[in-house]
Amino acid sequence: MISTLAAAALALSTIVIPPVADPPPTGQITINVVTVNGSGCRLGSAAVAVSPDNKAFTVTYSDYLAQVGPQSKPTDFRKNCQLNLKVNVPGGFTYGIAQADYRGFADLQRGAKGTVKASYYFQGMSDTDQRSKTYNGALSDNWQVTHKTDVASIVYHPCGEKRNFNINTELRVDKGTSDPKKTSFMAMDSTDGSIETIYHFAWKKCPKL
């Protein structure tokens, strides 16, 4: 009995408890769009807003669409967007991204396919693993790609440094064997503009100097 209890105690002592992110700060958080580049997000077509509880921020695109078909230009099959953001957070805190939800709408003819690619990183640091997903036609529906990071693997903005946050996304449509007389498209928004890309914050207190 004693040996059994000792073994159980030893097993419990070797359990690794994963780190837990801190609660979000209560102070104001603002995000400034520093630069916008890419064929999918002309200046003024992307907006950023922080949630009231400081747990996430959203990026809304109003003109981000890749397409193929009779009315399409040769370059319309691929669109991309690169956003450079300055995230202003209360003193004593730093942040990472625990999850990113990329959403949109696709209308793909049978035989066509659409692909979304996405990644993000802090200026001067390594890029995250690029996530991609391909959808095959026929399809006419909302789509979503979720990029979730384990708590222990979240990359945080270095405390005391000034590094902007970069978001890279790409939409691509391949007509494949679909009817060339019909249009297929993929958009980083919904038909009514109500779907947004959401980035979920992970917060951590900076060590006191």
Side-chain angles (χ1 to χ4, degrees):
M1 180 66 177
I2 295 177
S3 60
T4 302
L5 292 174
L10 178 62
L12 288 173
S13 68
T14 58
I15 294 176
V16 178
I17 300 176
V20 178
D22 291 328
T26 57
Q28 184 180 18
I29 298 168
T30 60
I31 299 179
N32 303 116
V33 180
V34 180
T35 59
V36 178
N37 291 298
S39 56
C41 55
R42 55 184 176 78
L43 189 62
S45 66
V48 181
V50 180
S51 65
D53 58 8
N54 288 343
K55 291 183 178 181
F57 71 90
T58 60
V59 180
T60 305
Y61 302 94
S62 61
D63 189 22
Y64 195 171
L65 181 146
Q67 65 178 3
V68 293
Q71 304 300 321
S72 305
K73 299 177 182 178
T75 56
D76 285 347
F77 79 97
R78 176 187 176 274
K79 294 295 178 72
N80 74 302
C81 181
Q82 299 179 6
L83 296 178
N84 182 272
L85 308 176
K86 181 181 180 183
V87 182
N88 308 292
V89 305
F93 283 86
T94 185
Y95 71 95
I97 302 298
Q99 180 175 315
D101 300 321
Y102 303 91
R103 303 177 182 181
F105 185 84
D107 190 359
L108 303 171
Q109 302 297 325
R110 186 173 303 278
K113 63 181 180 180
T115 301
V116 55
K117 295 181 179 180
S119 64
Y120 52 83
Y121 64 97
F122 292 110
Q123 188 174 4
M125 300 175 67
S126 299
D127 200 350
T128 60
D129 292 335
Q130 189 177 75
R131 302 295 177 94
S132 66
K133 187 170 184 178
T134 298
Y135 296 86
N136 296 313
L139 173 69
S140 183
D141 201 355
N142 294 323
W143 57 264
Q144 177 175 331
V145 175
T146 295
H147 183 171
K148 190 172 184 179
T149 304
D150 292 335
V151 174
S153 301
I154 294 173
V155 177
Y156 287 86
H157 182 283
C159 290
E161 297 186 15
K162 295 182 179 180
R163 295 176 184 263
N164 290 348
F165 184 65
N166 293 277
I167 298 171
N168 293 326
T169 55
E170 176 184 320
L171 295 177
R172 183 187 295 264
V173 177
D174 182 357
K175 69 178 181 180
T177 59
S178 64
D179 186 344
K181 297 180 181 179
K182 296 182 179 180
T183 297
S184 292
F185 71 85
M186 192 168 191
M188 191 75 81
D189 58 12
S190 68
T191 52
D192 60 2
S194 63
I195 293 182
E196 303 163 318
T197 299
I198 305 173
Y199 295 86
H200 303 265
F201 282 122
W203 291 102
K204 187 169 66 174
K205 292 182 179 179
C206 291
K208 295 182 179 180
L209 300 177

